[in-house]
Short mmCIF file of all heavy atoms in Angstrom, two decimals:
data_model
loop_
_atom_site.label_atom_id
_atom_site.label_comp_id
_atom_site.label_asym_id
_atom_site.label_seq_id
_atom_site.Cartn_x
_atom_site.Cartn_y
_atom_site.Cartn_z
N PRO A 1 247.44 39.03 216.95
CA PRO A 1 248.14 39.50 218.16
C PRO A 1 249.63 39.78 217.96
O PRO A 1 250.23 40.49 218.78
CB PRO A 1 247.93 38.34 219.15
CG PRO A 1 246.69 37.66 218.68
CD PRO A 1 246.72 37.75 217.19
N ASP A 2 250.20 39.26 216.89
CA ASP A 2 251.64 39.49 216.67
C ASP A 2 251.96 40.96 216.43
O ASP A 2 253.11 41.38 216.62
CB ASP A 2 252.13 38.66 215.48
CG ASP A 2 252.29 37.19 215.82
OD1 ASP A 2 252.11 36.84 217.01
OD2 ASP A 2 252.56 36.38 214.91
N ILE A 3 250.97 41.77 216.04
CA ILE A 3 251.28 43.19 215.85
C ILE A 3 251.64 43.87 217.16
O ILE A 3 252.35 44.88 217.19
CB ILE A 3 250.13 43.95 215.16
CG1 ILE A 3 248.89 44.05 216.06
CG2 ILE A 3 249.76 43.28 213.82
CD1 ILE A 3 247.80 44.92 215.48
N VAL A 4 251.14 43.29 218.26
CA VAL A 4 251.44 43.86 219.58
C VAL A 4 252.91 43.72 219.93
O VAL A 4 253.49 44.57 220.60
CB VAL A 4 250.55 43.19 220.65
CG1 VAL A 4 250.94 43.64 222.05
CG2 VAL A 4 249.08 43.49 220.38
N MET A 5 253.53 42.64 219.45
CA MET A 5 254.90 42.32 219.83
C MET A 5 255.95 42.90 218.88
O MET A 5 257.14 42.69 219.09
CB MET A 5 255.08 40.80 219.93
CG MET A 5 254.13 40.12 220.89
SD MET A 5 254.00 40.98 222.50
CE MET A 5 255.71 41.02 223.01
N LEU A 6 255.52 43.61 217.87
CA LEU A 6 256.50 44.24 216.98
C LEU A 6 257.23 45.36 217.72
O LEU A 6 256.67 46.00 218.62
CB LEU A 6 255.80 44.80 215.74
CG LEU A 6 255.21 43.76 214.78
CD1 LEU A 6 254.35 44.45 213.73
CD2 LEU A 6 256.33 42.95 214.12
N PRO A 7 258.48 45.63 217.37
CA PRO A 7 259.24 46.70 218.04
C PRO A 7 258.54 48.05 217.87
O PRO A 7 257.87 48.31 216.87
CB PRO A 7 260.58 46.69 217.31
CG PRO A 7 260.68 45.34 216.70
CD PRO A 7 259.28 44.95 216.35
N GLY A 8 258.70 48.90 218.90
CA GLY A 8 258.13 50.23 218.79
C GLY A 8 257.24 50.54 219.96
O GLY A 8 257.54 50.19 221.11
N ALA A 9 256.11 51.16 219.71
CA ALA A 9 255.23 51.66 220.76
C ALA A 9 254.65 50.51 221.59
O ALA A 9 254.59 49.36 221.15
CB ALA A 9 254.11 52.47 220.13
N GLN A 10 254.20 50.84 222.80
CA GLN A 10 253.66 49.83 223.69
C GLN A 10 252.17 49.60 223.44
O GLN A 10 251.49 50.41 222.79
CB GLN A 10 253.87 50.24 225.14
CG GLN A 10 253.13 51.50 225.54
CD GLN A 10 253.42 51.91 226.98
OE1 GLN A 10 254.29 51.34 227.63
NE2 GLN A 10 252.69 52.89 227.48
N SER A 11 251.66 48.49 223.95
CA SER A 11 250.24 48.15 223.88
C SER A 11 249.74 47.84 225.28
O SER A 11 250.52 47.51 226.18
CB SER A 11 250.00 46.96 222.96
OG SER A 11 250.36 47.26 221.63
N ALA A 12 248.42 47.93 225.46
CA ALA A 12 247.84 47.72 226.78
C ALA A 12 246.70 46.72 226.70
O ALA A 12 246.16 46.44 225.62
CB ALA A 12 247.35 49.05 227.36
N VAL A 13 246.32 46.21 227.86
CA VAL A 13 245.18 45.31 227.95
C VAL A 13 244.18 45.88 228.94
O VAL A 13 244.57 46.45 229.96
CB VAL A 13 245.61 43.89 228.38
CG1 VAL A 13 246.31 43.89 229.72
CG2 VAL A 13 244.41 42.94 228.39
N ILE A 14 242.89 45.80 228.62
CA ILE A 14 241.85 46.02 229.61
C ILE A 14 241.06 44.73 229.71
O ILE A 14 241.05 43.92 228.78
CB ILE A 14 240.93 47.21 229.27
CG1 ILE A 14 240.11 46.92 228.00
CG2 ILE A 14 241.74 48.49 229.11
CD1 ILE A 14 239.01 47.94 227.78
N GLU A 15 240.39 44.53 230.86
CA GLU A 15 239.74 43.25 231.09
C GLU A 15 238.22 43.36 231.04
O GLU A 15 237.63 44.36 231.46
CB GLU A 15 240.17 42.68 232.45
CG GLU A 15 241.65 42.33 232.53
CD GLU A 15 242.01 41.59 233.80
OE1 GLU A 15 241.18 40.79 234.28
OE2 GLU A 15 243.13 41.82 234.31
N ALA A 16 237.62 42.30 230.52
CA ALA A 16 236.17 42.15 230.51
C ALA A 16 235.82 40.86 231.25
O ALA A 16 236.68 39.99 231.46
CB ALA A 16 235.64 42.09 229.08
N GLU A 17 234.55 40.73 231.64
CA GLU A 17 234.12 39.48 232.24
C GLU A 17 234.08 38.39 231.17
O GLU A 17 233.84 38.66 229.98
CB GLU A 17 232.74 39.64 232.87
CG GLU A 17 232.72 40.58 234.06
CD GLU A 17 231.36 40.60 234.73
OE1 GLU A 17 230.89 39.51 235.13
OE2 GLU A 17 230.78 41.68 234.85
N ALA A 18 234.27 37.16 231.60
CA ALA A 18 234.38 36.05 230.66
C ALA A 18 233.13 35.89 229.80
O ALA A 18 233.22 35.59 228.61
CB ALA A 18 234.69 34.75 231.40
N TRP A 19 231.93 36.09 230.37
CA TRP A 19 230.70 35.89 229.60
C TRP A 19 230.62 36.85 228.42
O TRP A 19 230.05 36.53 227.38
CB TRP A 19 229.46 36.04 230.47
CG TRP A 19 229.25 37.42 231.07
CD1 TRP A 19 229.57 37.82 232.32
CD2 TRP A 19 228.68 38.56 230.41
NE1 TRP A 19 229.24 39.14 232.50
CE2 TRP A 19 228.69 39.62 231.35
CE3 TRP A 19 228.16 38.80 229.15
CZ2 TRP A 19 228.20 40.89 231.05
CZ3 TRP A 19 227.67 40.07 228.84
CH2 TRP A 19 227.71 41.10 229.78
N GLU A 20 231.23 38.03 228.60
CA GLU A 20 231.10 39.06 227.57
C GLU A 20 231.88 38.72 226.31
O GLU A 20 231.52 39.15 225.21
CB GLU A 20 231.57 40.40 228.14
CG GLU A 20 231.20 41.59 227.30
CD GLU A 20 231.58 42.90 227.97
OE1 GLU A 20 232.00 42.89 229.15
OE2 GLU A 20 231.46 43.95 227.30
N VAL A 21 232.94 37.94 226.46
CA VAL A 21 233.78 37.60 225.31
C VAL A 21 233.67 36.12 224.96
O VAL A 21 234.52 35.58 224.24
CB VAL A 21 235.24 38.00 225.55
CG1 VAL A 21 235.36 39.51 225.63
CG2 VAL A 21 235.80 37.35 226.81
N ALA A 22 232.63 35.46 225.46
CA ALA A 22 232.45 34.05 225.14
C ALA A 22 232.19 33.88 223.65
O ALA A 22 231.34 34.54 223.07
CB ALA A 22 231.29 33.47 225.95
N GLY A 23 232.94 32.99 223.02
CA GLY A 23 232.78 32.72 221.60
C GLY A 23 231.96 31.46 221.36
O GLY A 23 231.81 30.61 222.24
N VAL A 24 231.44 31.34 220.15
CA VAL A 24 230.59 30.21 219.79
C VAL A 24 231.22 29.47 218.62
O VAL A 24 231.34 30.01 217.52
CB VAL A 24 229.17 30.68 219.41
CG1 VAL A 24 228.34 29.51 218.90
CG2 VAL A 24 228.50 31.34 220.62
N ASN A 25 231.61 28.24 218.87
CA ASN A 25 232.14 27.38 217.81
C ASN A 25 231.39 26.07 217.69
O ASN A 25 231.79 25.21 216.90
CB ASN A 25 233.63 27.11 218.08
CG ASN A 25 234.47 28.36 217.90
OD1 ASN A 25 234.59 28.90 216.81
ND2 ASN A 25 235.04 28.84 219.00
N SER A 26 230.34 25.91 218.48
CA SER A 26 229.57 24.66 218.44
C SER A 26 228.18 24.94 218.98
O SER A 26 227.92 25.99 219.59
CB SER A 26 230.24 23.58 219.30
OG SER A 26 230.14 23.92 220.68
N ARG A 27 227.28 23.99 218.79
CA ARG A 27 225.93 24.12 219.34
C ARG A 27 225.96 24.16 220.87
O ARG A 27 225.14 24.83 221.50
CB ARG A 27 225.05 22.96 218.89
CG ARG A 27 225.06 22.69 217.40
CD ARG A 27 224.09 23.54 216.62
NE ARG A 27 224.09 23.18 215.21
CZ ARG A 27 223.10 23.44 214.37
NH1 ARG A 27 222.03 24.06 214.79
NH2 ARG A 27 223.19 23.10 213.10
#
């Protein structure tokens, strides 16, 4: 994510529902 904060052009965010980006790190 630090590349977003480098000087220069802007970046944007779009949103997804939480279930769609749920990650798995445990059973």
Side-chain angles (χ1 to χ4, degrees):
D2 285 354
I3 67 173
V4 173
M5 302 314 304
L6 292 171
Q10 64 182 9
S11 296
V13 59
I14 66 169
E15 295 188 35
E17 294 186 56
W19 64 261
E20 193 175 353
V21 294
V24 174
N25 291 295
S26 70
R27 309 275 183 159

